[in-house]
């Protein structure tokens, strides 16, 4: 494989992208810094196919990333391959308002191949290539320039190794007939809604025990205010106000700005400064949350009850058995909220009752809750047995 020198100019990048645009797939990775900012600072982009690989410096003066971003978001003929690509996809979305598509995530694919629920990149490389990845540059400051050879070599390996692994994974998926299992997961990863930072939905990230509409209404107003402050200042949310302080303010709102100086987690200066004034304005504008917005109790759709909780536990046991039998990560087969919904009597809108999940697990899960399937122990091993045939 040909490894290019670090690309720092628009012409070289455009030429590279023109070649890659004709290939069936590209492997993509990024290096970024976000410890001290709201928006992740893109510091390096690595890309490869089966013949060439390059690292691109997005911080190089006057470099035009347009051809690369077009390749990732506009070219439907080239599959974009990531490993645990959520944050990489977020960066592309922040730059373009679009996500890479079509895409393939090797961490998700590994779940379908029975290699764990969140296999790390290093373990994936070791499993497929027998290579121990050098982690020496893992915690480097990617924003500092110039980058040395060791840093660039470390970054390039993320895509060169993955460009070898991807075809092998794809071949295994085809042989096992599990490629179609991943279509829905990949489309979910590519959904732009996953990466949109909507200030009006920011309250959902903050834990608060109360379900009172007025408390949640204040929390929603405060979370929206904090999100906009963090975006405008390009600071992490917690640098503006920590979650626990937000929850306290929502539950026990100060009557006047001078009271902010006595709130745990805020400095005394907030009692008279501009940001404290904006916080108080957000509280003053808060409206009680509507019934339609209120979160469901215990984050469950139907109520489980004591017996339902026991049935859900049996479903979880069944899930472990079936995942082991077919050698697939249990998390890919079913999620806990689906099992609880089924146990509570729900039958519509549950992923395990549709498509391949129904064939591999949902049919037996439904049989269990309807009394047609039970557990037995034979030779010290737990087995499933039919108690009656389905109608």
């Amino acid at each position: 494989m040909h490894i290019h020198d670090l690309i720092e100019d628009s012409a070289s990048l455009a030429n590279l992208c023109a070649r890659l645009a004709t290939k069936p797939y590209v492997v993509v990775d990024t290096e970024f810094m976000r410890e001290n900012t709201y928006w992740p600072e893109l510091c390096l982009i690595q890309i490869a196919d089966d013949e060439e690989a390059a690292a691109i410096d997005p911080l190089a003066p006057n470099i035009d990333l347009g051809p690369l971003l077009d390749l990732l978001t506009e070219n439907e003929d080239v599959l974009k391959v990531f490993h645990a690509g959520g944050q990489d996809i977020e960066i592309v979305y922040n730059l373009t308002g679009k996500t890479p598509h079509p895409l393939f995530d090797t961490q998700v694919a590994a779940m379908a191949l029975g290699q764990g629920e969140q296999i790390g990149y290093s373990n994936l490389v070791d499993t497929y290539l027998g290579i121990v990845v050098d982690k020496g540059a893992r915690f480097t400051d990617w924003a500092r320039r110039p980058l040395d050879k060791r840093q660039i070599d470390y970054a390039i390996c993320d895509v060169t190794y993955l460009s070898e692994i991807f075809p092998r994974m794809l071949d295994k998926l085809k042989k096992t007939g599990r490629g179609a299992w991943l279509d829905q997961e990949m489309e979910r990863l590519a959904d732009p809604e996953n990466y949109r930072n909507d200030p009006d939905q920011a309250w959902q990230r903050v834990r608060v025990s109360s379900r009172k509409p007025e408390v949640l209404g204040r929390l929603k107003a405060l979370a929206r205010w904090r999100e906009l402050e963090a975006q405008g200042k390009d600071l992490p949310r917690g640098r503006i106000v920590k979650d626990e302080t937000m929850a306290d303010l929502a539950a026990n709102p100060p009557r006047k700005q001078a009271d902010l100086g006595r709130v745990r987690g805020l400095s005394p200066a907030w009692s008279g400064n501009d940001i404290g004034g904006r916080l108080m304005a957000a509280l003053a504008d808060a409206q009680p949350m509507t019934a339609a917005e209120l979160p469901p109790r215990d984050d469950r759709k139907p109520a489980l009850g004591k017996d339902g909780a026991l049935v859900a536990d049996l479903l979880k046991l069944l899930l472990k058995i079936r995942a082991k039998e077919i050698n697939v990560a249990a998390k890919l087969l079913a999620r806990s909220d689906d099992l609880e919904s089924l146990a509570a009597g729900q039958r519509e809108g549950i992923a395990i009752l549709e498509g391949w999940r129904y064939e591999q697990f949902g049919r037996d899960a439904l049989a269990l809750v309807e009394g047609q399937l039970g557990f037995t122990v034979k030779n010290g091993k737990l087995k499933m047995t039919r108690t009656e045939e389905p109608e």
Side-chain angles (χ1 to χ4, degrees):
M1 177 179 288
H2 177 65
I3 308 295
H4 295 277
D5 292 334
L6 180 66
I7 292 180
E8 301 175 279
D9 66 278
S10 299
S12 298
L13 178 57
N15 289 334
L16 172 68
C17 292
R19 292 191 301 274
L20 294 177
T22 66
K23 301 302 178 70
Y25 72 91
V26 292
V27 179
V28 186
D29 188 38
T30 65
E31 307 297 343
F32 54 88
M33 304 291 288
R34 72 182 313 164
E35 288 81 0
N36 298 309
T37 60
Y38 178 92
W39 307 105
E41 181 184 8
L42 179 60
C43 300
L44 198 67
I45 308 161
Q46 306 93 271
I47 192 166
D49 65 356
D50 60 341
E51 295 180 338
E52 59 182 323
I56 301 145
D57 185 359
L59 302 181
N62 302 317
I63 191 168
D64 178 13
L65 297 179
L68 176 62
L69 297 174
D70 286 345
L71 171 65
L72 296 179
T73 62
E74 302 293 342
N75 191 325
E76 290 287 316
D77 296 325
V78 179
L79 182 68
K80 294 82 183 182
V81 181
F82 298 84
H83 181 80
Q87 294 190 90
D88 306 310
I89 297 167
E90 178 193 359
I91 288 173
V92 175
Y93 176 83
N94 290 341
L95 292 172
T96 66
K98 302 175 183 179
T99 59
H101 190 273
L103 65 79
F104 184 96
D105 192 304
T106 53
Q107 187 178 71
V108 177
M111 294 168 65
L113 295 172
Q115 294 166 335
E117 295 189 351
Q118 289 185 314
I119 187 171
Y121 175 75
S122 298
N123 289 337
L124 191 75
V125 172
D126 188 22
T127 298
Y128 279 87
L129 304 180
I131 295 173
V132 178
V133 175
D134 178 10
K135 299 180 181 180
R138 184 179 180 186
F139 298 107
T140 193
D141 181 354
W142 293 105
R144 183 176 296 176
R145 293 297 184 270
L147 295 171
D148 61 35
K149 184 178 184 302
R150 186 187 183 196
Q151 290 173 305
I152 297 172
D153 289 347
Y154 167 85
I156 282 284
C157 284
D158 285 350
V159 290
T160 56
Y161 291 154
L162 208 58
S163 68
E164 292 185 57
I165 293 171
F166 165 68
R168 301 186 189 188
M169 296 189 83
L170 194 60
D171 186 55
K172 280 190 173 184
L173 288 167
K174 289 178 180 177
K175 287 180 179 178
T176 57
R178 296 182 177 186
W181 294 11
L182 300 174
D183 292 345
Q184 185 179 5
E185 293 299 311
M186 300 307 175
E187 287 302 314
R188 184 184 61 81
L189 281 173
D191 185 354
E193 286 301 309
N194 293 327
Y195 309 98
R196 189 165 67 94
N197 290 311
D198 183 355
D200 287 325
Q201 302 302 318
W203 65 274
Q204 297 179 6
R205 298 189 184 95
V206 184
R207 288 190 176 185
V208 61
S209 58
S210 176
R211 295 189 79 254
K212 293 180 179 179
E214 59 271 22
V215 172
L216 292 177
R218 288 191 290 266
L219 180 66
K220 180 179 178 180
L222 287 169
R224 183 180 192 279
W225 161 79
R226 183 180 69 169
E227 202 74 7
L228 294 174
E229 291 278 348
Q231 290 177 2
K233 293 179 169 62
D234 195 20
L235 289 173
R237 299 178 185 93
R239 295 277 186 91
I240 305 296
V241 179
K242 294 187 180 300
D243 282 3
E244 52 266 32
T245 303
M246 295 260 291
D248 186 41
L249 287 167
N252 305 286
R255 294 184 178 181
K256 54 186 183 297
Q257 186 175 348
D259 296 336
L260 291 177
R262 294 190 292 273
V263 173
R264 184 177 180 181
L266 301 181
S267 74
W270 283 60
S271 61
N273 61 13
D274 290 344
I275 193 170
R278 293 194 294 274
L279 184 155
M280 293 301 297
L283 281 174
D285 291 340
Q287 299 294 322
M289 189 169 286
T290 65
E293 289 181 294
L294 288 174
R297 293 185 182 275
D298 297 327
D299 294 323
R300 295 172 182 167
K301 296 175 184 177
L304 266 179
K306 291 182 179 179
D307 289 339
L310 292 174
V311 174
D313 288 339
L314 288 176
L315 286 170
K316 292 173 185 177
L317 177 59
L318 176 64
L319 176 62
K320 288 182 180 180
I321 294 172
R322 179 48 52 85
K324 183 178 180 181
E325 284 179 348
I326 65 175
N327 192 29
V328 65
K331 185 178 179 181
L332 186 63
L333 267 181
R335 300 182 184 277
S336 293
D337 56 350
D338 283 342
L339 301 182
E340 291 171 359
S341 295
L342 186 64
Q346 186 173 332
R347 298 294 183 267
E348 300 294 331
I350 303 178
I352 58 174
L353 298 184
E354 301 172 357
W356 70 269
R357 287 185 173 87
Y358 177 74
E359 297 297 326
Q360 298 297 327
F361 173 69
R363 179 185 285 111
D364 284 343
L366 189 59
L368 178 65
V369 299
E370 294 184 351
Q372 299 163 356
L373 191 70
F375 296 102
T376 59
V377 178
K378 290 186 178 180
N379 300 321
K381 293 184 178 181
L382 197 61
K383 300 285 186 180
M384 296 175 291
T385 181
R386 287 276 173 187
T387 58
E388 62 179 78
E389 291 301 316
E391 297 179 2

